[in-house]
Amino acid sequence: METIKNAANYVSESVQGAGSEASKEANKQVAKDSNATLGTRASATKDMIGDKFDQKKHETSADVHKEAAKH
């Protein structure tokens, strides 16, 4: 039962990590857009950093669940 739970958590964390990565990339494009206002670019940069942190957190959790599911 624990293996199934860990496998499900692995999938969930992987999906959440991918979502954070997509959001990070979108914010990165806004931050680089010279037509956007300085405030918009700064906000996108801040959000991009948060998304990168979330992405790494989810990837790390996914790896932990993946390893736990193997045992």
Side-chain angles (χ1 to χ4, degrees), residues 16-34:
Q16 291 177 45
S20 293
E21 182 178 11
S23 180
K24 177 193 74 168
E25 290 301 320
N27 282 315
K28 183 177 176 181
Q29 293 306 313
V30 173
K32 291 168 42 176
D33 184 359
S34 60

Side-chain angles (χ1 to χ4, degrees):
M1 188 66 170
E2 277 301 305
T3 301
I4 294 170
K5 183 178 174 182
N6 284 320
N9 286 336
Y10 165 71
V11 170
S12 174
E13 291 291 346
S14 295
V15 168
Q16 291 177 45
S20 293
E21 182 178 11
S23 180
K24 177 193 74 168
E25 290 301 320
N27 282 315
K28 183 177 176 181
Q29 293 306 313
V30 173
K32 291 168 42 176
D33 184 359
S34 60
N35 292 324
T37 65
L38 183 59
T40 299
R41 293 174 73 183
S43 179
T45 300
K46 177 188 70 71
D47 292 344
M48 180 183 69
I49 292 168
D51 290 337
K52 181 65 175 176
F53 175 79
D54 288 345
Q55 176 190 0
K56 289 296 179 189
K57 179 181 72 172
H58 290 302
E59 287 174 351
T60 300
S61 268
D63 288 342
V64 169
H65 290 299
K66 181 179 178 182
E67 287 303 311
K70 289 180 181 178
H71 303 292

